[in-house]
Each structure stands twice: as structure tokens, then as C-alpha cells.
């Protein structure tokens, strides 16, 4: 590469200011769509001349490029180090003055964009059956959309983009017949909605978000998604960037979570996951966005259920019953699907769909197969059986011989390794929660089968319960000691401090300890031999029944804000167990 070529090099990714000599008649492109060929050449020649003059460049007769491909001027003996750096600096910053948009240049750029957009529409109507006649105008339109990316570096200018209807025109192009144009707009929107960029200007962010909401951005994005062909790389990238826009919007304003689902995105995501296509990055991203949509919004969970979403999730997870994911990304995808299913099961209606869709049978098989999916299936069972809405699932699990699966996992916590990333504490939390739910919800013969498990093999399961009780009691006592030693924060009141400390204790082991002690109370209340075994081991280990009573009274007093009747009924039941213990 000679000095002229080096100095004429233009970085591709830098957003450009519209050229001052761009006229109103769109005399801007050659037949191949390149901007102002003659003017651009003149400017480049001028830059070269200025660079030579500023560096006092003296051309040598042997100035050809060396075999290594390095420009000869770097080794020119008549150039000082300072002069050489001067030229390199000039090359790197050749268009520094035009990098950042200001208000005037943005207005001019929007005007150019609107004119090119109008010209393209006219050419398409005029030469509808002759694509080569309107192709140049399409290239020009695509180019100016790329140049508009410069606005993403100056979020303070977003209100101008909105006021001059530039954003409205861009969103209209999402329906353009040429998907390349629509994908270019998606790319631009993904940049302007970047969370970090929006964080730089509150006024700009508010203006943009309000305008996007008014235009029903999510509905427009979904309409465009429906026509994109992911077999084409550029369109697959367009799908990925569309999902990135949704992620940006939901992070900035949580109201978009509900709006996106209502405007068709939830249905599209389920359709995309249901497809027979192999695993790919877009499928992973779809699972992440679906998780965001149903994590906090119960209406979205109900919508997912009405769209057969529970069946879709079960079908996708069935693949991992006997086969582990092939990569870390696919493992993340599988975990996202399990998380989605757990979120969906927080709606009572979806628990019925899970039951009728044989979700329990699938989870039970996964537990037996000992693949990576075992950890996720355990978590799903915990969600499916918890509370009063889990009664039918608890009884059904006993019917399908689930006790043969869950109790071996209770008796021995699997060792953690690289493939099974769940910790021992998490495993024990879910297993004890499942058993506690079954003891609370199962009636009649199903409950008798549960209780019989604790007396078989010389009460080995009671011994295991007390082993876990002592383990988690030690964890909670360590947390309590830590709380006692911490300095009081004067900025929070006593109630808030008490709540924070309780949450800290729950996450530190109290939650699992409460489940263990609940099981102890349930099984002790139904058999004298079990209670005797409990007393015997507690005395041997120097532990006290008073501790268990205290933990369960605290649990009864902190049952949460659920259904009032259920909470009162549950409190009465727990306190009656405490009194009988």
C-alpha cells in the first residue's frame, strides 16, 4: 500500500456527518450506489496534500512497499519520528471533525433521509416491474440509514429525531418490501435503544421511549419478524437485533414486558421455539426473552398457557431426557427453558396444563436418567407441587411411583461436578421442599405411602432428616452471629432492618431448615416410633426440641402475603404440629 492509499483509508464503522456538498436533487451516487465519486476523490487528494505539507514529506525514488506489506514511509530516513507520528495521527483522525453529529447536521441528515425515502417510494411505484431502475435509490436509502447511526452517539439529539418525524419514517420502513432496508432500520434501532446510551440523557431517553410506545414498536417488530428468513445470515442477524431491542426496552421500562407479550411477541417466541430447526444463537436468545416476559407478569404467564406454551416448553425439554446439551450455549438454553417452566407454574391454571400434559412423568424420567436435566427437573417439581395449588400434582406424583425417585435423592446428595452445576445446598433445598409439599398436600393412601417411607429400614430417613437439620442449624447460627456483630445502619428503621436480616437468614440456610423441620413435625405427629427416634438422636447430639419449635413458630409467623384464608389455615396447622411435638 503506497502513502496515497494509506492516507485515503477510511474506517468503515465510524458514523459520518452528511456531506456539505450533497444537493437536493440526490445527485449523490454513482450507478453502483457509491456517494459522490468525483467530490470524494477531490477531498482525498486534498487530505493527502495537507498531510504531506504538515509532515514536510519528501518523497524518495525508492518508495515502494516492502515485502512485509509495510508502507515505505515508515522507514524513510528523511522523516523524523515526530513527523512520522504526525502523519499516522492524521491518517487515524482524518475525519475526526465529522464524527459527532450536532443539531444542524442531524436536521440536514434527516432531510436527506426523507428525500431519499420519498424518491425510493416514487421509483418503486414508477418502475414496479423493473427492479434495476429503482435499485440505485434503494442503495442510497440504505446508505443514509447507515449514516443515521451517528445519532446513537448523541442521545441528547433524540428529541429532534422524534420532533422531525424521523423516527416515525424509520419505523414505517420496517414494512419496506426490501428486507435489507428493514434490517438496516432494526440495526439502527438496536443502537439507539442501547441501555448505556440512553443512560447518558434522561430527556433523550424519555422522548424516544414515549415515541416508540406511541408507535406500538413491539407490534411493528413482530410483523417484521414474521417475514424474516433466518436461513439468510443478514436476516438472522436482524432477528437477533430485534430481540436485543426488546431486551433494551424491557430493561429501561418494565411496562414493555406486558406490552410486548400483548402485541404478539410471546406468540412469536413460542412459534420460534416450537420449530424443528436445530439449536442456534437465536433460539437461545428467544428463550432468554421468553424468560423475561413471564418472570414477573402473571398475565403473561396466563397468556403463555392459553397459547399452549406449557406443552411447547415440555416438548423442547423432552429432547434432554436422555441426551445432554452439546455445548455450553445449549446448556444455557436448556436452563432457560426450565426457568420459563418454573415461572409459568406460578399461575395455578398452568399447573393443571402441566399435569394434563404429563409434565410430572417427564420430570420423573429426567430424575431417573441422571443427565444434566435432572437439576432443572427437580426445581420444576418443587414449583409444581408447592402450596395449595400443588395438591393434584402431589397426589399424581405418588401415583406414578415418584417416591422411588425422590427419596434416593433425599438420602444421598449427588456430588457436584463440572457438568452438574447445581450446588448441594440447592439440591437439598428442592428435595426437602418437594417432600414437605407432598406431606402437606397428599391425603388418604397417598399420605400413608409417604409416611411409611420414614419408618422403613430402621428409620434411616429420620436419621437423614436430623443430619440435615443439624447441618442447616449450624449455618443459620453462623448467620445469626454475623448479624449480631454487624454495625447498625442509621439510614434504615427497625422494621426494614428486621426484614433484611430475615431475608439474609432465609438465603443463608433458614429456608431449607424450615422445610426439614416441617417434615420432622409431620412425621413425628403420626408415629410414636418416629418421635422416639427423633428424641434419641437429638439427645445424642446435644440438640434440643425447643429449637425446632422456635424455628417453626417463626416460620408460621412469616408465611407471606398469599391467600388470606390459606395463610391462616396453614398457620393453624403448623402451630398445632408444634404443640403436639
Amino acid at each position: 500500500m503506497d502513502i496515497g492509499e494509506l492516507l485515503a483509508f477510511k474506517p468503515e464503522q465510524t458514523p459520518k456527518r452528511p456531506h456539505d456538498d450533497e444537493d437536493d436533487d440526490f445527485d449523490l451516487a454513482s450507478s453502483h450506489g457509491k456517494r459522490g465519486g468525483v467530490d470524494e476523490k477531490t477531498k482525498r487528494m486534498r487530505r493527502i496534500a495537507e498531510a504531506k505539507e504538515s509532515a514536510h514529506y519528501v518523497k524518495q525514488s525508492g518508495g515502494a512497499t516492502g515485502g512485509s506489506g509495510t508502507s515505505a514511509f515508515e522507514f524513510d530516513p528523511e522523516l523524523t519520528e515526530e513527523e512520522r507520528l504526525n502523519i499516522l495521527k492524521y491518517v487515524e483522525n482524518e475525519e475526526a471533525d465529522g464524527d459527532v453529529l450536532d443539531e444542524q447536521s442531524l436536521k440536514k441528515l434527516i432531510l436527506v433521509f426523507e428525500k431519499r425515502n420519498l424518491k425510493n417510494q416514487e421509483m418503486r411505484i414508477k418502475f414496479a416491474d423493473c427492479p434495476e431502475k429503482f435499485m440505485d435509490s434503494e442503495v442510497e436509502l440504505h446508505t443514509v440509514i447507515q449514516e443515521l447511526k451517528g445519532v446513537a452517539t448523541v442521545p441528547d439529539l433524540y428529541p429532534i429525531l422524534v420532533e422531525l418525524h424521523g423516527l416515525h419514517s424509520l419505523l414505517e420502513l420496517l414494512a419496506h418490501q426490501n428486507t435489507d432496508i428493514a434490517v438496516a432500520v432494526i440495526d439502527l434501532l438496536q443502537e439507539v435503544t442501547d441501555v448505556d446510551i440512553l443512560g447518558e440523557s434522561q430527556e433523550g431517553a424519555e422522548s424516544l421511549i414515549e415515541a416508540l410506545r406511541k408507535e406500538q414498536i413491539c407490534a411493528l417488530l413482530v410483523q417484521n419478524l414474521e417475514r424474516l428468513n433466518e436461513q439468510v445470515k443478514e436476516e438472522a442477524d436482524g432477528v437477533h437485533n430485534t430481540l436485543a431491542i426488546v431486551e433494551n426496552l424491557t430493561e429501561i421500562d418494565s411496562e414493555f414486558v406486558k406490552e410486548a407479550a400483548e402485541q404478539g411477541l410471546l406468540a412469536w417466541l413460542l412459534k420460534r421455539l416450537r420449530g424443528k430447526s436445530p439449536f442456534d444463537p437465536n433460539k437461545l436468545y428467544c428463550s432468554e426473552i421468553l424468560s423475561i416476559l413471564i418472570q414477573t407478569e402473571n398475565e403473561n404467564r396466563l397468556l403463555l398457557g392459553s397459547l399452549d406454551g406449557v406443552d411447547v416448553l415440555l416438548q423442547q425439554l423432552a429432547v434432554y431426557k436422555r441426551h445432554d446439551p452439546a455445548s455450553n450455549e445449549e446448556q444455557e438454553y436448556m436452563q432457560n427453558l426450565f426457568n420459563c417452566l418454573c415461572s409459568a407454574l406460578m399461575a395455578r391454571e398452568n399447573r393443571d396444563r402441566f399435569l394434563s400434559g404429563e409434565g410430572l412423568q417427564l420430570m420423573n424420567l429426567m430424575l431417573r436418567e441422571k443427565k444434566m436435566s435432572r437439576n432443572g427437573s427437580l426445581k420444576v417439581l418443587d414449583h409444581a407441587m408447592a402450596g395449595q395449588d400443588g395438591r393434584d400434582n402431589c397426589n399424581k406424583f405418588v401415583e406414578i411411583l415418584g417416591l422411588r425417585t425422590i427419596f434416593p435423592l433425599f438420602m444421598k446428595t449427588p456430588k457436584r461436578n463440572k457438568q452438574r452445576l447445581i450446588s448441594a445446598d440447592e439440591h437439598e433445598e428442592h428435595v426437602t421442599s418437594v417432600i414437605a409439599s407432598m406431606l402437606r398436600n397428599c391425603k388418604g393412601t397417598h399420605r400413608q405411602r409417604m409416611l411409611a417411607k420414614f419408618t422403613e429400614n430402621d428409620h434411616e430417613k429420620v436419621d437423614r432428616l436430623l443430619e440435615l437439620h443439624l447441618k442447616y442449624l449450624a449455618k443459620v447460627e453462623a448467620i445469626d452471629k454475623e448479624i449480631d456483630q454487624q454495625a447498625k445502619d442509621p439510614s434504615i428503621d427497625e422494621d426494614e432492618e428486621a426484614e433484611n436480616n430475615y431475608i439474609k437468614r432465609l438465603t443463608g440456610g433458614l429456608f431449607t431448615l424450615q422445610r426439614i423441620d416441617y417434615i420432622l413435625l409431620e412425621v413425628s405427629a403420626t408415629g410414636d416410633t418416629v418421635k422416639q427416634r427423633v428424641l434419641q438422636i437429638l439427645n445424642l447430639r446435644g440438640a434440643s426440641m425447643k429449637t425446632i419449635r422456635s424455628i417453626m413458630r417463626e416460620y408460621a409467623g412469616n408465611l407471606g402475603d398469599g391467600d388470606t384464608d390459606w395463610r391462616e389455615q396453614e398457620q393453624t396447622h403448623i402451630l398445632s404440629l408444634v404443640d403436639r411435638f
Side-chain angles (χ1 to χ4, degrees):
M1 178 183 291
D2 63 28
I3 180 63
E5 291 173 331
L6 181 62
L7 292 173
F9 172 75
K10 292 164 67 68
E12 293 181 2
Q13 298 302 319
T14 309
K16 308 291 190 301
R17 184 197 296 257
H19 302 300
D20 293 335
D21 55 341
E22 204 157 33
D23 64 21
D24 291 342
D25 294 323
F26 299 95
D27 187 17
L28 303 162
S30 68
S31 58
H32 298 290
K34 296 182 179 177
R35 296 193 310 262
V38 176
D39 289 340
E40 192 64 22
K41 185 176 179 182
T42 304
K43 288 184 179 181
R44 289 183 180 180
M45 294 305 292
R46 190 185 306 131
R47 284 198 296 272
I48 292 169
E50 289 169 353
K52 288 181 179 179
E53 186 179 348
S54 68
H56 307 293
Y57 177 78
V58 179
K59 184 166 182 170
Q60 289 203 318
S61 56
T65 303
S68 64
T70 308
S71 298
F73 81 88
E74 291 191 35
F75 306 104
D76 192 327
E78 292 190 34
L79 281 178
T80 66
E81 180 67 14
E82 182 181 355
E83 289 168 343
R84 185 179 70 80
L85 291 174
N86 192 9
I87 290 178
L88 289 175
K89 184 178 178 183
Y90 191 92
V91 172
E92 291 170 1
N93 299 289
E94 59 168 328
E95 289 201 83
D97 292 340
D99 281 351
V100 182
L101 283 172
D102 57 22
E103 185 173 335
Q104 283 303 112
S105 56
L106 176 59
K107 286 178 178 179
K108 182 177 179 182
L109 188 54
I110 292 172
L111 180 62
V112 172
F113 162 68
E114 294 289 6
K115 287 182 176 179
R116 291 190 183 183
N117 188 13
L118 181 61
K119 181 180 178 182
N120 178 243
Q121 291 175 21
E122 291 172 348
M123 296 294 281
R124 271 191 165 270
I125 293 169
K126 188 174 180 180
F127 303 106
D129 298 325
C130 195
E132 60 272 13
K133 293 281 183 72
F134 59 72
M135 192 52 64
D136 283 351
S137 69
E138 216 125 288
V139 172
E140 290 171 359
L141 178 58
H142 189 277
T143 301
V144 77
I145 293 171
Q146 297 294 329
E147 290 180 349
L148 273 168
K149 286 183 183 179
V151 76
T153 62
V154 197
D156 288 329
L157 296 180
Y158 286 3
I160 295 172
L161 183 66
V162 174
E163 287 165 16
L164 296 180
H165 303 290
L167 183 66
H168 175 78
S169 297
L170 282 166
L171 294 177
E172 283 185 337
L173 287 178
L174 288 175
H176 195 280
Q177 296 95 321
N178 185 345
T179 53
D180 288 344
I181 298 294
V183 166
V185 172
I186 290 293
D187 198 18
L188 170 60
L189 290 172
Q190 191 265 327
E191 292 195 21
V192 298
T193 57
D194 182 271
V195 177
D196 294 331
I197 296 291
L198 289 175
E200 296 174 12
S201 171
Q202 183 177 352
E203 183 187 357
E206 289 174 355
S207 173
L208 181 71
I209 295 303
E210 183 183 348
L212 290 174
R213 175 169 281 125
K214 189 176 179 182
E215 297 279 356
Q216 291 200 312
I217 176 66
C218 296
L220 295 175
L221 292 175
V222 172
Q223 288 170 16
N224 188 51
L225 282 171
E226 295 283 3
R227 68 187 184 130
L228 293 180
N229 176 12
E230 291 186 64
Q231 301 303 312
V232 179
K233 184 185 182 303
E234 289 75 15
E235 295 188 28
D237 290 342
V239 170
H240 194 275
N241 287 335
T242 301
L243 298 175
I245 294 168
V246 174
E247 184 176 22
N248 290 341
L249 293 175
T250 55
E251 189 171 342
I252 295 158
D253 186 344
S254 59
E255 288 297 315
F256 276 109
V257 172
K258 187 176 177 182
E259 291 171 21
E262 289 174 347
Q263 292 175 23
L265 183 63
L266 188 59
W268 183 86
L269 289 170
L270 291 173
K271 179 182 173 184
R272 175 65 174 81
L273 291 176
R274 187 188 283 118
K276 300 287 186 182
S277 60
F279 173 77
D280 58 34
N282 280 355
K283 209 166 189 178
L284 171 60
Y285 211 172
C286 284
S287 68
E288 291 173 2
I289 300 300
L290 181 61
S291 181
I292 290 170
L293 294 187
I294 64 174
Q295 198 166 31
T296 56
E297 282 289 335
N298 196 59
E299 287 186 28
N300 289 357
R301 296 176 192 138
L302 295 174
L303 178 60
L304 175 134
S306 67
L307 294 169
D308 293 329
V310 174
D311 276 345
V312 172
L313 293 170
L314 290 173
Q315 288 165 14
Q316 291 301 308
L317 283 168
V319 176
Y320 303 109
K321 180 172 58 180
R322 292 191 174 91
H323 303 286
D324 281 338
S327 64
N328 289 337
E329 289 75 18
E330 190 172 0
Q331 184 179 335
E332 186 181 348
Y333 168 69
M334 179 186 74
Q335 290 170 344
N336 288 340
L337 293 179
F338 276 122
N339 290 338
C340 288
L341 194 51
C342 289
S343 294
L345 288 170
M346 293 176 77
R348 178 181 55 79
E349 294 83 351
N350 287 338
R351 298 202 191 188
D352 296 336
R353 296 183 175 105
F354 177 78
L355 179 63
S356 60
E358 299 189 344
L360 285 170
Q361 287 87 334
L362 177 61
M363 298 304 119
N364 193 32
L365 286 170
M366 284 179 168
L367 288 176
R368 291 180 180 179
E369 288 293 336
K370 301 180 182 178
K371 296 292 182 182
M372 276 190 206
S373 57
R374 176 162 70 175
N375 302 320
S377 61
L378 194 55
K379 186 177 176 182
V380 168
L381 283 178
D382 185 359
H383 281 76
M385 298 181 181
Q388 59 180 346
D389 295 332
R391 184 168 293 126
D392 291 341
N393 280 313
C394 286
N395 286 296
K396 184 66 176 179
F397 192 69
V398 176
E399 288 176 19
I400 63 171
L401 308 180
L403 300 183
R404 295 182 184 178
T405 310
I406 200 71
F407 274 103
L409 293 174
F410 169 72
M411 291 301 295
K412 184 178 180 182
T413 301
K415 290 182 180 179
R416 181 174 180 173
N417 57 40
K418 290 181 181 178
Q419 285 190 319
R420 291 158 182 80
L421 299 175
I422 193 170
S423 68
D425 288 356
E426 288 174 295
H427 174 91
E428 287 162 3
E429 175 191 321
H430 292 312
V431 170
T432 53
S433 292
V434 167
I435 293 173
S437 294
M438 286 195 287
L439 280 170
R440 183 71 187 97
N441 285 324
C442 289
K443 303 296 178 187
T445 56
H446 293 131
R447 180 176 171 80
Q448 292 305 316
R449 287 166 66 178
M450 276 288 300
L451 293 170
K453 287 287 181 182
F454 289 92
T455 55
E456 67 185 19
N457 298 331
D458 193 24
H459 300 84
E460 64 176 5
K461 294 175 183 64
V462 177
D463 296 351
R464 173 64 172 161
L465 262 180
L466 288 159
E467 178 189 335
L468 290 172
H469 165 79
L470 293 168
K471 171 185 172 180
Y472 283 93
L473 181 61
K475 284 177 178 285
V476 173
E477 287 174 344
I479 294 287
D480 288 342
K481 188 176 180 181
E482 187 181 313
I483 290 172
D484 290 340
Q485 292 174 349
Q486 72 185 13
K488 182 173 175 59
D489 186 347
S491 64
I492 59 175
D493 59 34
E494 288 186 9
D495 290 341
E496 187 178 352
E497 184 181 30
E499 185 178 345
N500 291 341
N501 288 339
Y502 186 65
I503 292 170
K504 187 174 183 180
R505 295 174 71 225
L506 281 175
T507 54
L510 179 60
F511 182 86
T512 306
L513 181 61
Q514 289 170 343
R515 300 298 174 279
I516 294 165
D517 288 356
Y518 177 81
I519 298 169
L520 274 172
L521 291 186
E522 283 280 10
V523 296
S524 296
T526 54
D528 291 337
T529 58
V530 173
K531 189 171 181 178
Q532 289 170 8
R533 186 60 167 246
V534 171
L535 284 169
Q536 179 186 355
I537 295 173
L538 287 175
N539 290 332
L540 280 172
R541 301 294 291 269
S544 168
M545 292 177 70
K546 287 182 181 178
T547 308
I548 297 175
R549 292 194 192 102
S550 173
I551 288 165
M552 293 314 296
R553 285 196 181 101
E554 182 185 36
Y555 172 53
N558 290 278
L559 281 176
D561 303 323
D563 181 88
T564 307
D565 292 339
W566 173 83
R567 187 171 69 246
E568 290 177 356
Q569 183 182 346
E570 197 69 6
Q571 284 175 339
T572 303
H573 177 68
I574 292 168
L575 292 174
S576 69
L577 288 174
V578 171
D579 293 339
R580 291 159 63 190
F581 187 59

